[in-house]
Amino acid sequence: MLLKEYRICMPLTVDEYKIGQLYMISKHSHEQSDRGEGVEVVQNEPFEDPNHGNGQFTEKRVYLNSKLPSWARAVVPKIFYVTEKAWNYYPYTITEYTCSFLPKFSIHIETKYEDNKGINNSIFDNEAKDTEREVCFIDIACDEIPERYYKESEDPKHFKSEKTGRGQLREGWRDNHQPIMCSYKLVTVKFEVWGLQTRVEQFVHKVVRDILLIGHRQAFAWVDEWYDMTMDDVREYEKNMHEQTNIKVCNQHSSTVDDIENHAKTST
């Protein structure tokens, strides 16, 4: 098991990010389906928890084969997916990931949002007080992202919001920017397979970090698209994006299955 706590500051308030987060996730999933990846929404409905109150439960299947390194693609099926289950009781969320063919693999993420610059060192004490964890700050403006994901229009160093006047973010922006909030994420990765555990858990944390960095950069860079939305507006947008994405995923999988069957026929 490898446990890390990520802290990602945003030039937003916690209340603002509630809309931005939902918009970013829906739009990002839709874009990934355009690039040949798939995020199939299986379930998305209100959910009530006795401890956390009213929230939203979402279950997705995330098809990631092309994102794997070559050593991993060599041992996984042609079609495989990660199941994502998320319970959103904003400003507290729980997200769990499991793999379709690796029962000993899982990712567990607890997230809490606060209006500060990442200075709360005891935010997860109740959840992780007996476990050593590394604290990793992610800077949406200054940390490097993989070159293939870079877009100047989504670079907080260059982007300036017309509606809020926020941006262009420079080095050290977290020390004096107002407003500011922090997304605290406690991420536990487990892959209990002897000989591969350390390598896989470290790789998964690298992927998680890249996804968090890219997603939070996009949430800010798209602020003018979602800033005037109400919760009803963003839920309707989310519904429309999910429907479009599911259609694309189904078409992609049909094509992949046809390719596999055709290859099998020509090989016999």
Side-chain angles (χ1 to χ4, degrees):
M1 181 181 78
L2 185 57
L3 177 68
K4 293 187 179 184
E5 179 184 324
Y6 296 94
R7 300 181 188 180
I8 313 105
C9 290
M10 297 284 285
L12 304 167
T13 68
V14 169
D15 286 342
E16 290 170 343
Y17 187 65
K18 185 176 184 178
I19 301 292
Q21 175 201 42
L22 295 173
Y23 182 90
M24 175 270 293
I25 291 171
S26 298
K27 181 174 178 177
H28 181 81
S29 297
H30 185 68
E31 285 189 345
Q32 291 304 300
S33 68
D34 286 338
R35 295 169 184 164
E37 296 296 338
V39 182
E40 177 187 3
V41 181
V42 179
Q43 193 173 351
N44 184 29
E45 60 187 31
F47 185 85
E48 185 173 351
D49 182 88
N51 297 319
H52 304 298
N54 294 327
Q56 191 84 4
F57 171 73
T58 308
E59 180 178 346
K60 301 176 183 177
R61 290 180 178 177
V62 186
Y63 298 87
L64 295 172
N65 192 281
S66 70
K67 285 186 170 62
L68 295 175
S70 57
W71 60 265
R73 287 199 299 270
V75 297
V76 303
K78 178 70 175 178
I79 300 177
F80 98 101
Y81 59 86
V82 171
T83 296
E84 174 194 286
K85 294 183 178 180
W87 295 263
N88 189 342
Y89 310 104
Y90 199 88
Y92 173 65
T93 66
I94 302 169
T95 310
E96 295 179 349
Y97 297 89
T98 53
C99 185
S100 58
F101 76 103
L102 291 174
K104 295 185 178 181
F105 170 78
S106 66
I107 306 173
H108 180 87
I109 303 175
E110 288 190 63
T111 305
K112 294 184 179 182
Y113 304 95
E114 287 189 345
D115 285 313
N116 58 52
K117 57 182 180 180
I119 58 175
N120 189 345
N121 293 320
S122 59
I123 192 167
F124 290 116
D125 273 6
N126 291 334
E127 293 84 350
K129 61 184 178 181
D130 297 325
T131 308
E132 290 291 331
R133 64 188 184 277
E134 178 185 356
V135 175
C136 305
F137 280 87
I138 297 178
D139 189 325
I140 65 169
C142 299
D143 287 358
E144 292 186 3
I145 68 170
E147 185 177 353
R148 65 185 182 277
Y149 295 118
Y150 179 81
K151 292 182 180 179
E152 185 173 345
S153 62
E154 296 175 0
D155 188 338
K157 292 193 299 294
H158 300 294
F159 170 76
K160 186 175 180 64
S161 167
E162 294 181 2
K163 292 185 178 180
T164 68
R166 302 170 203 170
Q168 302 152 313
L169 303 181
R170 302 306 182 197
E171 187 171 352
W173 69 272
R174 293 178 298 177
D175 294 331
N176 50 33
H177 194 283
Q178 290 297 327
I180 192 167
M181 60 155 287
C182 184
S183 172
Y184 295 83
K185 292 184 175 288
L186 188 66
V187 181
T188 304
V189 178
K190 291 183 181 179
F191 186 67
E192 298 172 343
V193 176
W194 186 86
L196 291 174
Q197 181 171 1
T198 299
R199 184 181 186 182
V200 170
E201 289 178 353
Q202 289 177 342
F203 169 76
V204 171
H205 266 287
K206 182 183 182 304
V207 172
V208 168
R209 188 186 184 285
D210 286 345
I211 291 173
L212 292 177
L213 175 58
I214 294 165
H216 284 77
R217 283 165 63 102
Q218 290 177 330
F220 175 56
W222 296 338
V223 63
D224 288 342
E225 300 176 27
W226 59 257
Y227 191 73
D228 294 328
M229 282 185 167
T230 64
M231 182 56 68
D232 288 342
D233 291 336
V234 78
R235 286 298 184 194
E236 183 63 25
Y237 175 82
E238 182 182 52
K239 178 183 176 182
N240 292 336
M241 289 297 100
H242 287 172
E243 289 175 352
Q244 294 179 37
T245 300
N246 280 1
I247 291 172
K248 291 181 181 180
V249 171
C250 289
N251 290 338
Q252 290 165 10
H253 291 168
S254 296
S255 298
T256 302
V257 171
D258 289 344
D259 289 344
I260 294 172
E261 291 179 345
N262 290 335
H263 177 74
K265 290 176 182 178
T266 57
S267 300
T268 57

